[in-house]
Amino acid sequence: MITIDARKCARDGLCVQACPVNLIRMDGGAVPEEIGGAADRCIRCGHCVAVCPTNALDNALTPAEDYRPVPEDRPDAEAMENLLVSRRSARAFRNKPIAREQLERLLEAARRAPTASNAQQLSWTMIRDPQRLDRVRELSIEWMSGNPARSHYVETARQGRDVILRNATALAVVHGPADYLWTAIDGTIALTYMELLAATMGLGTCWAGLVTAASAAIPDLLPALGVPAGNKVGGAIMLGHPRLKHLLVPPRNAARVTWL
């Protein structure tokens, strides 16, 4: 699985330190080598290849030729903090579709999000068809109609307001195997990547919590969301061009922290 060019290898042991499942060993000043059975236990994280400063190591499961350099142009801490504190949920969208190229860019970023043990079990549905979005609204309202705690949503919907998707022109749905323990957590991280990038692109997002909750209760909603049998929804967010612009950062509760 692992091959090392001894002429390039600095014998610094960085690959040994980087492997999260201890599949590489190094005896003294020798060239590192994989341990027996490594190919069966490798999680394909790519760390062994990514940390080698001399490009001496290759992993057949994640070939070095498929890697790309880490971008040098990255936001500093202040710019990143400004993005995080200024991001707002959009609950009013313009009637303007998002270009497919922009949606593909969001998906590209989301697929880079970390997953448990690099499992990469997530799949996506990007819904743009107006009739399909209407079907999602219809089934979600049907789910809420039998729940007194959601009666205000139902009444608002009867008044003509879209309480499900807020007139968003796209809905990103992330899903994974029903028996995979981390579908919701992995999905949440991926959707967070997506919404933060969307904020830098001038797009609005809002977590579709009602759709996510309804998907667990109404079997007919899963096909409408493009989720195949055997999978469950890990989360969803509305996407669109925001109708409103936030000029202030609202207050939030102080962090409740226990320092130990």
Side-chain angles (χ1 to χ4, degrees):
M1 178 184 71
I2 293 176
T3 56
I4 297 177
D5 186 335
R7 296 169 299 177
K8 295 182 179 180
C9 181
R11 294 164 174 77
D12 49 26
L14 296 180
C15 56
V16 178
Q17 299 174 47
C19 181
V21 283
N22 300 318
L23 301 182
I24 307 174
R25 66 186 177 193
M26 181 178 176
D27 297 325
V31 173
E33 62 180 358
E34 68 180 76
I35 67 172
D40 295 329
R41 290 189 286 155
C42 177
I43 64 173
R44 298 169 172 80
C45 66
H47 291 179
C48 58
V49 179
V51 301
C52 182
T54 60
N55 300 316
L57 186 147
D58 199 3
N59 185 324
L61 299 182
T62 59
E65 63 184 17
D66 294 339
Y67 289 62
R68 68 183 190 186
V70 172
E72 294 183 4
D73 183 19
R74 292 185 288 178
D76 59 22
E78 183 177 1
M80 192 65 200
E81 184 179 11
N82 288 340
L83 170 63
L84 294 173
V85 301
S86 64
R87 186 218 63 82
R88 300 265 69 83
S89 295
R91 292 184 173 86
F93 295 94
R94 295 159 54 196
N95 185 23
K96 177 183 176 181
I98 301 174
R100 177 165 177 149
E101 293 75 15
Q102 289 183 298
L103 295 174
E104 289 175 343
R105 186 176 185 183
L106 294 174
L107 288 166
E108 175 64 18
R111 78 177 182 89
R112 298 281 184 178
T115 56
S117 297
N118 195 40
Q120 300 185 60
Q121 292 291 305
L122 300 178
S123 298
W124 294 84
T125 305
M126 186 65 75
I127 305 176
R128 299 184 299 161
D129 177 62
Q131 292 184 340
R132 172 118 16 189
L133 292 172
D134 283 343
R135 181 60 174 162
V136 171
R137 294 183 182 97
E138 176 187 339
L139 290 171
S140 298
I141 289 292
E142 178 183 315
W143 164 71
M144 289 194 296
S145 296
N147 185 345
R150 308 281 186 183
S151 60
H152 59 292
Y153 283 114
V154 178
E155 181 59 32
T156 302
R158 288 174 180 163
Q159 295 172 8
R161 296 191 63 178
D162 180 9
V163 297
I164 303 299
L165 300 180
R166 307 290 178 173
N167 296 313
T169 57
L171 179 68
V173 182
V174 62
H175 54 92
D179 59 355
Y180 176 57
L181 182 61
W182 307 106
T183 293
I185 294 177
D186 288 354
T188 298
I189 298 171
L191 288 171
T192 300
Y193 266 48
M194 180 176 286
E195 73 163 354
L196 290 175
L197 179 58
T200 71
M201 297 165 62
L203 299 174
T205 62
C206 186
W207 288 72
L210 294 174
V211 174
T212 302
S215 70
I218 302 180
D220 288 347
L221 185 52
L222 292 178
L225 295 173
V227 178
N231 273 23
K232 63 183 177 182
V233 173
I237 59 172
M238 313 165 208
L239 293 158
H241 293 277
R243 185 179 297 276
L244 305 175
K245 181 178 181 180
H246 294 263
L247 303 178
L248 299 173
V249 176
R252 291 290 182 265
N253 293 338
R256 292 181 288 273
V257 182
T258 300
W259 294 87
L260 301 174

